[in-house]
Short mmCIF file of all heavy atoms in Angstrom, two decimals:
data_model
loop_
_atom_site.label_atom_id
_atom_site.label_comp_id
_atom_site.label_asym_id
_atom_site.label_seq_id
_atom_site.Cartn_x
_atom_site.Cartn_y
_atom_site.Cartn_z
N GLU A 1287 -1.38 3.07 -0.24
CA GLU A 1287 -0.16 3.49 -0.92
C GLU A 1287 0.21 4.91 -0.53
O GLU A 1287 -0.64 5.67 -0.06
CB GLU A 1287 -0.34 3.42 -2.46
CG GLU A 1287 -0.56 2.03 -3.03
CD GLU A 1287 0.70 1.17 -3.09
OE1 GLU A 1287 1.80 1.67 -2.78
OE2 GLU A 1287 0.57 -0.01 -3.44
N ILE A 1289 4.13 7.60 -0.18
CA ILE A 1289 5.55 7.54 0.17
C ILE A 1289 5.67 7.29 1.68
O ILE A 1289 4.69 7.45 2.42
CB ILE A 1289 6.32 8.83 -0.27
CG1 ILE A 1289 5.72 10.08 0.37
CG2 ILE A 1289 6.32 8.96 -1.78
CD1 ILE A 1289 6.50 11.36 0.02
N GLN A 1297 -3.15 5.06 9.51
CA GLN A 1297 -4.53 4.87 9.03
C GLN A 1297 -4.95 3.41 9.05
O GLN A 1297 -6.09 3.10 9.34
CB GLN A 1297 -4.67 5.46 7.62
CG GLN A 1297 -4.60 6.97 7.59
CD GLN A 1297 -5.61 7.62 8.53
OE1 GLN A 1297 -6.75 7.15 8.69
NE2 GLN A 1297 -5.20 8.70 9.18
N ALA A 1311 -12.21 -8.90 11.13
CA ALA A 1311 -10.79 -8.94 11.48
C ALA A 1311 -9.97 -9.26 10.23
O ALA A 1311 -9.68 -10.41 9.95
CB ALA A 1311 -10.54 -9.98 12.56
N THR A 1321 5.64 -13.60 4.09
CA THR A 1321 5.90 -15.05 4.15
C THR A 1321 7.37 -15.17 4.55
O THR A 1321 8.12 -14.18 4.49
CB THR A 1321 5.74 -15.75 2.77
OG1 THR A 1321 6.79 -15.34 1.91
CG2 THR A 1321 4.39 -15.46 2.13
N ILE A 1327 13.65 -11.85 1.56
CA ILE A 1327 13.91 -10.95 0.43
C ILE A 1327 13.83 -9.50 0.93
O ILE A 1327 14.61 -8.64 0.53
CB ILE A 1327 12.91 -11.21 -0.72
CG1 ILE A 1327 13.07 -12.64 -1.25
CG2 ILE A 1327 13.11 -10.19 -1.85
CD1 ILE A 1327 12.03 -13.06 -2.28
N SER A 1333 18.32 -3.64 3.44
CA SER A 1333 19.60 -3.48 4.13
C SER A 1333 20.41 -2.30 3.58
O SER A 1333 20.67 -2.22 2.38
CB SER A 1333 20.42 -4.76 3.98
OG SER A 1333 21.74 -4.49 4.40
N GLU A 1338 25.22 -1.60 -3.75
CA GLU A 1338 25.55 -1.93 -5.15
C GLU A 1338 24.36 -2.55 -5.90
O GLU A 1338 24.48 -2.88 -7.07
CB GLU A 1338 26.77 -2.86 -5.21
CG GLU A 1338 26.55 -4.28 -4.68
CD GLU A 1338 26.78 -4.42 -3.18
OE1 GLU A 1338 26.38 -3.51 -2.42
OE2 GLU A 1338 27.34 -5.45 -2.77
N THR A 1343 17.81 -5.74 -10.41
CA THR A 1343 17.79 -6.69 -9.29
C THR A 1343 16.68 -6.28 -8.33
O THR A 1343 15.91 -7.12 -7.85
CB THR A 1343 19.14 -6.67 -8.55
OG1 THR A 1343 20.17 -6.84 -9.52
CG2 THR A 1343 19.22 -7.75 -7.49
N THR A 1380 5.32 0.22 -9.36
CA THR A 1380 5.18 1.14 -10.49
C THR A 1380 5.75 2.51 -10.11
O THR A 1380 6.51 3.11 -10.88
CB THR A 1380 3.69 1.29 -10.87
OG1 THR A 1380 3.13 -0.01 -11.02
CG2 THR A 1380 3.53 2.08 -12.16
N ALA A 1381 5.40 2.98 -8.91
CA ALA A 1381 5.83 4.33 -8.51
C ALA A 1381 7.34 4.38 -8.22
O ALA A 1381 8.03 5.27 -8.71
CB ALA A 1381 5.04 4.79 -7.28
N VAL A 1393 7.51 -2.70 -19.06
CA VAL A 1393 8.13 -3.87 -18.42
C VAL A 1393 7.61 -4.00 -16.99
O VAL A 1393 7.28 -5.10 -16.52
CB VAL A 1393 9.68 -3.73 -18.43
CG1 VAL A 1393 10.33 -4.85 -17.62
CG2 VAL A 1393 10.21 -3.71 -19.85
N GLU A 1435 14.96 4.64 1.73
CA GLU A 1435 14.74 5.96 2.34
C GLU A 1435 15.88 6.91 2.04
O GLU A 1435 15.72 8.12 2.15
CB GLU A 1435 14.60 5.82 3.87
CG GLU A 1435 13.25 5.32 4.33
CD GLU A 1435 13.16 5.15 5.84
OE1 GLU A 1435 14.14 5.46 6.56
OE2 GLU A 1435 12.11 4.71 6.30
N LEU A 1439 15.49 13.94 -2.56
CA LEU A 1439 14.15 14.54 -2.66
C LEU A 1439 13.57 14.37 -4.07
O LEU A 1439 12.38 14.11 -4.22
CB LEU A 1439 14.26 16.02 -2.29
CG LEU A 1439 13.08 16.63 -1.53
CD1 LEU A 1439 12.74 15.83 -0.29
CD2 LEU A 1439 13.40 18.08 -1.16
N GLU A 1443 10.03 12.92 -5.38
CA GLU A 1443 9.13 13.73 -6.21
C GLU A 1443 8.64 12.94 -7.42
O GLU A 1443 7.47 12.99 -7.79
CB GLU A 1443 9.81 15.04 -6.65
CG GLU A 1443 9.50 16.16 -5.69
CD GLU A 1443 10.55 17.25 -5.64
OE1 GLU A 1443 11.35 17.37 -6.58
OE2 GLU A 1443 10.56 17.97 -4.62
N LYS A 1455 -5.16 7.61 -13.87
CA LYS A 1455 -5.43 6.54 -14.84
C LYS A 1455 -6.51 5.58 -14.37
O LYS A 1455 -7.22 5.00 -15.17
CB LYS A 1455 -4.15 5.74 -15.09
CG LYS A 1455 -3.25 6.39 -16.11
CD LYS A 1455 -2.17 5.41 -16.56
CE LYS A 1455 -1.04 6.17 -17.25
NZ LYS A 1455 0.27 5.71 -16.84
N PHE A 1491 -25.26 -3.39 13.27
CA PHE A 1491 -24.41 -3.46 14.45
C PHE A 1491 -25.21 -3.13 15.70
O PHE A 1491 -25.14 -3.82 16.70
CB PHE A 1491 -23.24 -2.49 14.28
CG PHE A 1491 -22.32 -2.49 15.46
CD1 PHE A 1491 -21.55 -3.60 15.77
CD2 PHE A 1491 -22.23 -1.37 16.28
CE1 PHE A 1491 -20.71 -3.61 16.87
CE2 PHE A 1491 -21.39 -1.38 17.38
CZ PHE A 1491 -20.63 -2.49 17.67
#
Side-chain angles (χ1 to χ4, degrees):
E1287 295 285 355
I1289 59 177
Q1297 291 306 322
T1321 70
I1327 298 173
S1333 167
E1338 69 273 40
T1343 309
T1380 310
V1393 173
E1435 282 178 2
L1439 216 53
E1443 267 153 20
K1455 277 193 197 137
F1491 179 67

